[in-house]
Amino acid sequence: MTPVLLLAAEKESAQVTDWAARIGWVVGLALFVALVYWLMREGWKWRGTLQGDLPELPTTPDETGPERLAMSGRYHGSTTAGQWLDRIVAHGLGTRSRTELTLTDAGLDVVRPGASDFFVPAAQLREARLDKGIAGKVLTEGGLLVVTWEHGDKLIDSGFRSDHAAEHNEWVEAINSMIETNSREGVER
């Protein structure tokens, strides 16, 4: 045989796609992804059940006094104080959302469109600081405003990021100053 005939004899047609096997793999993968999603959702609900001892969140009182500071930005979640990965999901505290923060003499008002609003009375505020992360959100150093507050018998860290990060320092100073003033007044009484 000539070399051209040998090359022609070695060529084979392309394999036909086995559609049944391919569809089976796609359906199997889709079921696996659905199972993982369902397990994650059940874990989230279980975490909420475990945190069921957390009392209802306070709502904004009718009279809050004059506004000290206001900020719009994002609410990134709440964790057990000092444990930046222990997310709190009870009462919607684990839901990320846009937020409007207002600091008044009465406390910190957190308005969250699409999620439950809450209010932190001034007497419950414990600390404000700049940090770099909170459960599921890591930023550059000082990119997150973290407010520590007491709710029931638990200390909670809530993370906020302003649309204008330069505002964070002003918030830390104002909240910590308010806490110091309230603690001095409490001692004098």
Side-chain angles (χ1 to χ4, degrees):
M1 279 193 176
T2 64
V4 173
L5 291 176
L6 283 173
L7 286 175
E10 292 176 6
K11 289 191 175 181
E12 296 179 15
S13 62
Q15 284 188 343
V16 177
T17 302
D18 183 3
W19 285 105
R22 185 168 287 184
I23 290 172
W25 277 105
V26 169
V27 168
L29 181 61
L31 288 173
F32 177 74
V33 168
L35 173 68
V36 168
Y37 175 77
W38 179 78
L39 288 171
M40 287 170 55
R41 185 167 184 243
E42 290 301 308
W44 186 267
K45 288 172 25 181
W46 177 249
R47 180 175 277 279
T49 302
L50 290 176
Q51 297 167 348
D53 62 337
L54 197 65
E56 285 295 320
L57 297 173
T59 57
T60 307
D62 294 331
E63 185 56 42
T64 59
E67 178 182 296
R68 288 185 177 197
L69 288 173
M71 171 176 86
S72 63
R74 301 225 22 109
Y75 168 77
H76 287 290
S78 292
T79 62
T80 303
Q83 299 176 12
W84 72 283
L85 290 175
D86 186 20
R87 183 184 295 268
I88 296 176
V89 300
H91 308 299
L93 287 175
T95 306
R96 290 184 179 174
S97 62
R98 292 282 307 155
T99 189
E100 296 291 329
L101 286 180
T102 308
L103 182 65
T104 65
D105 292 334
L108 182 66
D109 189 20
V110 182
V111 177
R112 303 185 305 154
S116 56
D117 302 339
F118 62 95
F119 182 79
V120 180
Q124 297 342 100
L125 290 169
R126 296 295 177 255
E127 177 192 18
R129 68 182 186 281
L130 297 180
D131 213 329
K132 64 180 179 181
I134 198 161
K137 186 65 175 180
V138 178
L139 300 162
T140 59
E141 189 66 46
L144 195 65
L145 170 66
V146 177
V147 177
T148 303
W149 53 289
E150 185 175 359
H151 185 56
D153 60 350
K154 184 173 250 178
L155 283 177
I156 297 173
D157 283 342
S158 293
F160 304 94
R161 173 129 174 111
S162 173
D163 290 337
H164 309 284
E167 295 176 330
H168 290 170
N169 287 325
E170 183 180 9
W171 275 82
V172 169
E173 290 171 15
I175 292 174
N176 287 333
S177 170
M178 194 165 123
I179 292 168
E180 287 176 25
T181 302
N182 288 343
S183 66
R184 274 193 304 249
E185 288 175 1
V187 169
E188 292 173 3
R189 288 183 192 172

